Amino acid sequence: MMTRMIKRTIVLLMVALLVACAEPTDTTETQTDGELSVTLLDVRIGEETLFGELPEGEIWLLVDVAIENVGSVSRTINALLMFRLEDDENVYDLDIFADGAGALDGTLNAGARKEGTLTFAVQAAGEGYQLIFTPRVNQPGRLTFDLDSYMP
């Protein structure tokens, strides 16, 4: 009886040690231009019928992001103009008719944060996906997120 309890205790301690030493699973990435901070929260593939039928060979790519105003003045966010997706061969625009489209749009006061999902119809065989955020429309400067390491 005592031997069984000792074995269980040792096994539990070993499991606890393995969990404590495991690599963190946080895969978020944050970039900033000093005024706006963008965090890539998740990347996933949507269902074929999530927002309507797509042509054969295309899938929905859903990118969850958060935008935080780390500056000292309010900023206006327009996701359609500020975000785009590229792969090795194509440029993709944000789908403005997707569920939740516009969740990031509007005024973002200093210190405020918004979260939302960006939806893109992409080629199923595409590679080299990069999410590009332009903090100031029609001005230089951009934040680029390599999505390949986040792809499911």
Side-chain angles (χ1 to χ4, degrees), residues 19-151:
V19 169
C21 294
E23 290 291 320
T25 57
D26 180 17
T27 58
T28 62
E29 177 183 354
T30 300
Q31 295 184 32
T32 185
D33 72 341
E35 294 180 16
L36 293 176
S37 177
V38 177
T39 302
L40 181 64
L41 301 172
D42 192 19
V43 178
R44 61 193 191 284
I45 304 299
E47 309 248 337
E48 280 288 327
T49 58
L50 187 61
F51 308 114
E53 293 296 322
L54 289 173
E56 188 172 327
E58 290 187 7
I59 58 173
W60 292 111
L61 184 63
L62 308 174
V63 183
D64 296 328
V65 298
I67 301 176
E68 183 175 358
N69 185 340
V70 294
S72 58
V73 297
S74 294
R75 293 286 304 272
T76 300
I77 305 300
N78 183 324
L80 182 62
L81 298 176
M82 297 173 121
F83 284 100
R84 77 174 186 278
L85 184 76
E86 296 180 357
D87 66 16
D88 293 338
E89 298 178 13
N90 302 295
V91 175
Y92 304 97
D93 291 323
L94 187 63
D95 186 324
I96 60 172
F97 299 107
D99 287 345
L104 298 170
D105 293 337
T107 301
L108 189 61
N109 293 322
R113 175 183 165 108
K114 289 184 178 185
E115 292 185 13
T117 300
L118 305 170
T119 303
F120 301 92
V122 301
Q123 297 297 316
E127 293 182 347
Y129 289 111
Q130 290 187 325
L131 179 68
I132 299 168
F133 176 74
T134 305
R136 296 192 179 274
V137 178
N138 297 324
Q139 292 187 15
R142 66 188 210 172
L143 307 176
T144 303
F145 296 87
D146 178 17
L147 300 187
D148 285 349
S149 60
Y150 296 92
M151 296 296 288

